Amino acid sequence: MTRSWAEPWKIKMVEPLTMTTREHRESEIGEAGYNTFLLRSDDVYIDLLTDSGTTAMSDRQWSAMMLGDESYAGANSFYKLVDAVRDVYGYDELIPTHQGRGAEHLLSQILISPGDVVPGNMYFTTTRFHQEYAGGRFVDVIIDEAHDPRSMHPFKGNIDLAKLASIVHEVGADRIAYVSFETNVNLAGGQPASMENIKAVYAFCRTLDILVMLDATRALENAYFIQQREGGYADRSIASILREIANNSDGATVSSKKDNLVNIGGFLALRDPDLARKARALLVAFEGLHTYGGMSGRDMEALAEGIREMVHTDDHVRSRVGQVEYLGNTLLKYGVPVVTPIGGHGVFLDAAAMLPHLTQDELPAQALAAAIYVDSGVRGMERGIVSAGRDPETGDNRHPNLELVRLTIPRRVYTQSHMDVVAESVIEVCEHRETIRGLQFVYEPDSLRFFQARFEQIPV
Ligand code: PM9
């Protein structure tokens, strides 16, 4: 008999949810221009928009916040954070930022010169924005399987070494700003890279003096999949696997709003003190003094505790990913097309497969996210053509292979019964899929358009 996992915590405080009617939700989604980012949270029942900053903090984190040292310079809370990052990730140089994109901004500014190329394993919206903003060109070198929602490859986040070698050969190693290696690749569906691949990429880059910078935002979940799926790691602790991932890099950007179990915060971590000096020079202009960056003392306290807590035992990540897999496997059982294997932070619905009557330019994922909201008040997010944006050179829409709706699970927030309600709603919507109409833009921001764009239904 297989034995169940259960959450390694109990609930001390609850937050009431609002129940709404279908009629109300139909009106609200119209008001929000069919963009789930523009809904008010009071109109949402189960909020699966993102796992970013939506975590429930522990009693230890809340009590640590009371110890926050709010000194402008040299706060004790900063040094606790430095120690936590060094102990858990092994990086010596810490540059604290307000969240992940603050770290991406600094990294891109110190390493990218106009015309440089940044190879990476699938784009992430804010990451690519900062790479392009600094004058770089992102080149996708992820393995082909990552673009196939049905491929069962256990490590769809892997970098294709032949693709990487080819772009290095084409432009020359000195025009490669760095390799941008995301752990548990978000837009591929929360898919991990194998330790073998992480090591091979680092070894290849070292021979050419190319830096490898991790996006370690979800490296914990990546470490869990390595433990579960890669030969030789079953008996290793998550903490030691996470450290081994970080050991094979020159630095990392981290949005602490995910793995690190806090509602706000992030950091850039580096090994090279000279690079860190450059980053700190910009930090004081864009974020704050080098001993707080973009965070208050209490934020740094909660973050230092969150970093230690996430690896304290393996039970936390096992139940976190276990809950995501529970939702994904329920949907699979009822024939809903989802990205497989089920990822670490959310279940990604294959909107292209679910709504074959819509072309990609009719924005099927955007329309599906709106339809699920109307059905049950469950809020997901589009991850397809709208998120992919336009090519800065041609101005044309990018057409990604993946046209997905992401149901992202916040950490330590919802119960298994919430997951049942979500699954029932998606199954119901799937049964009436042919009634879902396509959408068109009525307002399109110039960059990161998915956050604020507005849409209307295409007239019949
Ligand atoms: N990710 C997410 O919902 C929040 C904003 S985008 C909708 O998935 C990675 C892999 C992320 C990420 C944010 C950031 C940026 C960097 N890398 O949001 O600035 O998933 O803290 O981090 C979001 P910040």
Side-chain angles (χ1 to χ4, degrees):
M1 186 180 74
T2 50
R3 304 289 293 260
S4 299
W5 54 268
E7 289 78 5
W9 38 260
K10 56 185 177 174
I11 298 167
K12 188 179 297 203
M13 188 187 283
V14 297
E15 191 180 339
L17 297 174
T18 326
M19 317 290 280
T20 52
T21 61
R22 185 181 182 97
E23 204 179 19
H24 178 75
R25 294 190 294 270
E26 269 168 359
S27 147
E28 291 309 312
I29 198 72
E31 285 288 308
Y34 292 87
N35 184 346
T36 52
F37 275 100
L38 301 181
L39 289 166
R40 295 174 69 116
S41 66
D42 270 355
D43 297 318
V44 172
Y45 173 34
I46 300 175
D47 202 349
L48 307 186
L49 184 73
T50 177
D51 63 331
S52 180
T54 51
T55 192
M57 292 206 300
S58 68
D59 50 359
R60 285 169 178 265
Q61 286 177 289
W62 281 108
S63 54
M65 286 184 84
M66 295 304 291
L67 303 175
D69 175 357
E70 306 302 344
S71 306
Y72 188 87
N76 182 34
S77 307
F78 169 71
Y79 295 104
K80 285 190 195 162
L81 180 57
V82 170
D83 288 347
V85 170
R86 187 179 291 135
D87 290 351
V88 173
Y89 292 95
Y91 300 115
D92 282 335
E93 303 286 346
L94 176 75
I95 292 106
T97 57
H98 72 287
Q99 55 183 80
R101 66 198 75 179
E104 291 168 350
H105 177 215
L106 300 178
L107 183 70
S108 302
Q109 292 296 324
I110 60 174
L111 286 183
I112 300 173
S113 303
D116 279 356
V117 165
V118 190
N121 51 343
M122 200 172 271
Y123 83 99
F124 184 72
T125 51
T126 57
T127 322
R128 185 176 62 192
F129 171 85
H130 282 296
Q131 290 163 352
E132 290 174 350
Y133 188 67
R137 178 165 67 93
F138 173 82
V139 174
D140 189 6
V141 292
I142 203 164
I143 59 171
D144 289 342
E145 287 86 342
H147 294 281
D148 173 4
R150 260 161 294 284
S151 160
M152 284 301 287
H153 195 294
F155 292 107
K156 285 164 103 171
N158 279 355
I159 285 181
D160 183 327
L161 280 148
K163 287 186 193 171
L164 178 60
S166 157
I167 186 71
V168 172
H169 184 250
E170 186 188 320
V171 301
D174 54 335
R175 293 322 307 261
I176 304 287
Y178 59 96
V179 171
S180 179
F181 202 156
E182 186 185 335
T183 49
N184 236 49
V185 181
N186 190 349
L187 291 191
Q191 303 293 327
S194 68
M195 190 69 84
E196 187 187 12
N197 187 255
I198 292 168
K199 286 184 170 172
V201 168
Y202 191 49
F204 170 79
C205 289
R206 279 178 83 105
T207 60
L208 298 165
D209 276 336
I210 295 172
L211 297 174
V212 176
M213 293 295 171
L214 298 180
D215 180 337
T217 294
R218 295 186 182 83
L220 179 78
E221 290 161 9
N222 199 128
Y224 176 71
F225 285 126
I226 289 174
Q227 186 195 55
Q228 297 299 305
R229 297 179 187 167
E230 192 162 350
Y233 288 90
D235 296 327
R236 289 272 302 278
S237 70
I238 294 294
S240 77
I241 300 172
L242 177 61
R243 175 61 89 87
E244 192 175 330
I245 292 173
N247 284 349
N248 285 280
S249 72
D250 298 290
T253 53
V254 174
S255 166
S256 295
K257 300 168 72 173
K258 286 85 169 174
D259 276 356
N260 292 168
L261 301 171
V262 288
N263 304 121
I264 193 72
F267 58 87
L268 167 63
L270 294 165
R271 297 196 196 286
D272 179 351
D274 289 333
L275 266 187
R277 255 191 296 279
K278 285 189 193 162
R280 287 193 186 103
L282 289 179
L283 182 75
V284 293
F286 288 103
E287 300 270 328
L289 194 79
H290 54 279
T291 56
Y292 73 84
M295 280 181 279
S296 65
R298 53 185 173 272
D299 291 337
M300 292 191 282
E301 289 282 344
L303 175 52
E305 172 59 29
I307 289 171
R308 293 192 189 279
E309 220 168 77
M310 71 177 186
V311 290
H312 182 58
T313 70
D314 295 1
D315 299 330
H316 158 67
V317 69
R318 181 181 306 123
S319 82
R320 189 275 183 287
V321 178
Q323 189 179 40
V324 178
E325 288 177 336
Y326 173 80
L327 174 61
N329 288 331
T330 308
L331 292 174
L332 277 175
K333 202 162 71 191
Y334 284 90
V336 176
V338 301
V339 173
T340 52
I342 307 298
H345 66 301
V347 176
F348 289 67
L349 309 176
D350 185 350
M354 249 172 103
L355 307 181
H357 60 288
L358 300 182
T359 65
Q360 194 170 29
D361 289 303
E362 292 171 320
L363 319 180
Q366 193 73 38
L368 180 59
I372 294 169
Y373 169 73
V374 169
D375 181 72
S376 58
V378 170
R379 167 157 73 169
M381 179 202 293
E382 190 266 5
R383 296 272 78 159
I385 183 171
V386 178
S387 293
R390 292 179 183 273
D391 185 310
E393 274 159 32
T394 64
D396 294 338
N397 276 322
R398 292 174 167 124
H399 286 86
N401 284 343
L402 299 179
E403 180 69 23
L404 310 173
V405 169
R406 189 182 70 171
L407 302 172
T408 340
I409 317 296
R411 295 165 183 81
R412 310 193 290 202
V413 171
Y414 291 115
T415 64
Q416 203 144 316
S417 8
H418 287 116
M419 296 302 112
D420 289 337
V421 169
V422 172
E424 286 160 16
S425 173
V426 174
I427 292 160
E428 175 95 20
V429 169
C430 200
E431 278 166 7
H432 301 103
R433 57 179 90 181
E434 67 291 340
T435 61
I436 298 175
R437 280 163 60 187
L439 296 174
Q440 60 194 19
F441 279 94
V442 290
Y443 166 62
E444 183 183 348
D446 288 341
S447 56
L448 297 174
R449 63 184 182 178
F450 60 96
F451 284 126
Q452 288 158 332
R454 300 183 69 85
F455 309 88
E456 65 182 8
Q457 289 187 320
I458 297 172
V460 273

